[in-house]
Amino acid sequence: MSHSTAGDPAPELIDRLRLIEAQPLDARAEAYTAVHDELARHLASAPTDTQSASRP
C-alpha cells in the first residue's frame, strides 16, 4: 500500500527539524521557538467542531 504525501507537511517538518538539530544550541533554541509558534498558529486557525466537543 502506498501513501500519498501530497499536502502532508510531515516530511517537510521532519527535514526542518533535522536542519535545526545540526545547528549550535543557541540557534536551535530560536529555531524550535519559531517552529512552535508556527505550529501553534496553525493549530489555532484550524476549524473546530463545537458540536462534537459538547457531546459527553
Side-chain angles (χ1 to χ4, degrees):
M1 175 169 24
S2 71
H3 295 280
S4 173
T5 58
D8 182 5
E12 182 180 312
L13 177 60
I14 291 170
D15 289 343
R16 187 173 174 188
L17 295 176
R18 285 185 180 135
L19 289 172
I20 291 171
E21 279 298 313
Q23 297 177 8
L25 184 58
D26 58 338
R28 271 188 273 163
E30 291 178 21
Y32 277 126
T33 298
V35 169
H36 171 271
D37 293 346
E38 182 180 325
L39 292 174
R41 279 191 306 273
H42 182 71
L43 183 60
S45 69
T48 58
D49 184 0
T50 56
Q51 204 173 46
S52 65
S54 63
R55 292 181 188 162

